[in-house]
Amino acid sequence: MTKIVPSEELRAFLLRLYALMESRDVDGFREMFSSSSQLLIAGSDPQEWVMGRAGVEVFVRQLDEMPFKIKPGTIQAYTAGSIGWVADQPRLRLPNGTGAGKRVTA
């Protein structure tokens, strides 16, 4: 049986993604995602279920439209052999001071 172990590499990956989102570095953001047609981007809206790079572009447009700050939650990042996953419950804060809790899984 493969042992499940914490992954600092995946934790750092998610923190880098957050930093790119906050800085609105769309080129860096794009580079964080696979170019595979099997890539699935599932947003919080049921209509946000997009395959391939088109899903990344949905989020790129949102980054351009809505600046925000991200406060990470308690990031859970693990690997089991060559498989890894990460999950978090960050808080987003908009420039007007309003905020919202979100869920991130990858």
Side-chain angles (χ1 to χ4, degrees), residues 12-96:
F13 176 89
L14 185 59
L15 290 173
R16 173 151 168 70
L17 184 67
Y18 288 170
L20 292 167
M21 292 170 74
E22 279 192 358
S23 68
R24 298 164 71 184
D25 179 348
V26 295
D27 291 330
F29 181 80
R30 283 182 179 111
E31 290 175 11
M32 299 289 286
F33 292 88
S34 170
S35 60
S36 169
S37 62
Q38 287 77 36
L39 172 67
L40 170 64
I41 301 293
S44 57
D45 183 317
Q47 299 302 313
E48 291 178 330
W49 187 272
V50 187
M51 300 293 294
R53 296 298 290 190
V56 176
E57 294 308 311
V58 168
F59 281 95
V60 164
R61 284 190 301 279
Q62 290 175 350
L63 290 176
D64 276 342
E65 295 169 0
M66 184 175 58
F68 53 84
K69 295 290 183 186
I70 302 173
K71 181 178 180 189
T74 303
I75 297 172
Q76 306 292 310
Y78 296 95
T79 60
S82 62
I83 305 296
W85 61 95
V86 63
D88 190 24
Q89 293 179 307
R91 292 232 12 116
L92 301 185
R93 190 181 71 229
L94 300 175
N96 68 6

